Structures are given as C-alpha cells and as structure tokens.
Amino acid sequence: MIKSNKLAIFGNSLMAGIAYYYFKNYSDYEIICFVSEEKFINKKKLFGVEVISLKKFLKKKDQKPNIFIAIGYNKLNKIREKFFKIFKKEYNYEVINFIHPNASCYQNDLGVNNFIMDNVSINPFTKIGNNNIFWSNCVIGHHTNIADNNFFSGNSTISGNCEIKNNCFFGVNSSIKDSIKIQSDCFIDANQYVSKHLKKNTY
C-alpha cells in the first residue's frame, strides 16, 4: 500500500504503540514521527520512527502533518483533552480519526480524534463528539449522543437513546440501560450495570 498522507502521533506510551500498529496496518497514513513532551522522552525512536519533543515539533510551522493524539484515560481523559485543545484549537492542526475496517459505523455524526477499534458497532442515528476512544467489541446503541473525551473499554455496551457527557470512563464489560443520561466525569467500573441516571463526578 502506498502511503499518501503524513501523520504524527502524539504520545510515546502503550497507547501510542497501539495507535501506531493500527494506523500502519489499517490506513494509508505514513507515520513520520512520534511527538512527546521532552521530559517523557527516553528513546530517540519507537518502532524505528523518530520521537521528537513537542516544543521542536510546534516550531516546524512550514510542515504541518495530520495529528492523532494517542493518550489513554489518565485523569478521566483530561490529559488527552489538554493536548487535543493544543493541537486543534491553538495551532489549528488537522486532527484525524481512526476507524478500523471491521468496525460498523452507520453514517453517524462524528467529530475528530476518535479511535474506533475492531468489531466496534456504532448503531444508526448516533452522534459522537471529539477525542473518544472505543476499544474492541464495544457497542453504542441507536440514537445515543456522546460528547467529548470519553473512553469505552472492550465489550462495554451503551444501549439506545442514551446521553453521555464529557470525560467519562466505561470499564470492560460494563453496560448502560437504554435512555440513561450520564453527566461528565463519571467512572463506571468493569462489569457494572447502570440502570439509572448518573450525576456529575459519580464513581
């Protein structure tokens, strides 16, 4: 496959490695570098690809590749949110999505910097904001609205007609009953079943 678009991945942790693997094997992007804050750089290369500091990267104003922010759910996704704002809003980079070819996304309203892995099913008439991660085999039900900066672990299920606000975490095998509203900054642990609305900062 000929790589036609250049991509920089922000991050140099396990999540960045996952993003590298999927973009390399299931997209037409050429990964030109990893980017990280200098204090977190302990290797010059990852997978044979250069790791450069954020400060150095942002100085290259004449070269603006596509960006994907590959940060996990630390601090309820707020670290990923911070760098999304830096690249998208402050520096106006083109921030992209990854959608695995095996995922089912039915012409939904979709923002940017969303990572949608294999066998994810996003039902019709959903709306998804920016900067969300959907791990393998999770299901998002019909007519559900998802805002920004959320993390859906493997096999998590959001039933139809739900509303998910910002910066929430859904553990492995968690499930949400239909027509439930979950406010921002909620943490749903593995195997939990949620059958009532959750207020902000519910753990």
Side-chain angles (χ1 to χ4, degrees):
M1 180 184 292
I2 298 174
K3 303 290 184 180
S4 59
N5 296 311
K6 297 186 183 301
L7 173 67
I9 295 175
F10 181 81
N12 66 346
S13 63
L14 295 178
M15 184 65 209
I18 292 290
Y20 170 84
Y21 179 88
Y22 278 93
F23 275 109
K24 183 176 185 295
N25 290 286
Y26 299 103
S27 80
D28 62 352
Y29 287 98
E30 177 191 358
I31 301 163
I32 60 169
C33 65
F34 290 91
V35 183
S36 179
E37 291 182 286
E38 191 163 5
K39 62 184 177 181
F40 296 119
I41 297 176
N42 50 32
K43 293 181 180 179
K44 293 182 178 180
K45 290 188 175 182
L46 284 176
F47 308 104
V49 178
E50 182 183 18
V51 181
I52 66 175
S53 71
L54 176 62
K55 185 176 180 180
K56 179 180 177 181
F57 181 78
L58 293 176
K59 285 182 178 179
K60 296 182 177 182
K61 297 180 180 179
D62 56 328
Q63 301 175 7
K64 294 186 78 170
N66 299 290
I67 289 285
F68 182 79
I69 297 103
I71 302 291
Y73 54 83
N74 306 65
K75 297 184 179 180
L76 279 180
N77 309 291
K78 293 193 189 295
I79 297 175
R80 192 169 73 255
E81 178 186 15
K82 170 187 171 182
F83 289 104
F84 175 80
K85 289 178 178 178
I86 288 172
F87 283 111
K88 181 66 177 175
K89 297 182 179 180
E90 292 183 32
Y91 287 88
N92 198 31
Y93 273 84
E94 187 70 25
V95 184
I96 64 166
N97 292 316
F98 173 82
I99 303 175
H100 194 283
N102 288 342
S104 299
C105 299
Y106 296 95
Q107 298 180 335
N108 294 292
D109 188 346
L110 184 66
V112 295
N113 208 68
N114 293 294
F115 194 68
I116 301 174
M117 291 177 67
D118 42 312
N119 300 313
V120 169
S121 178
I122 300 179
N123 292 180
F125 307 112
T126 60
K127 183 177 180 180
I128 295 170
N130 302 310
N131 209 29
N132 298 288
I133 295 176
F134 301 88
W135 216 260
S136 301
N137 301 304
C138 74
V139 176
I140 307 300
H142 62 90
H143 295 92
T144 286
N145 291 336
I146 293 171
D148 302 331
N149 318 309
N150 297 290
F151 190 103
F152 301 86
S153 300
N155 295 301
S156 56
T157 299
I158 311 298
S159 298
N161 197 39
C162 289
E163 184 174 351
I164 312 297
K165 294 296 186 180
N166 304 306
N167 298 89
C168 294
F169 173 86
F170 298 84
V172 172
N173 294 320
S174 60
S175 56
I176 311 301
K177 184 178 180 290
D178 60 288
S179 302
I180 292 297
K181 293 183 179 181
I182 296 180
Q183 300 301 323
S184 298
D185 303 308
C186 289
F187 184 96
I188 292 88
D189 211 343
N191 300 309
Q192 284 195 335
Y193 176 64
V194 177
S195 59
K196 60 182 181 180
H197 303 315
L198 297 184
K199 296 180 180 179
K200 186 175 181 178
N201 296 314
T202 297
Y203 282 74

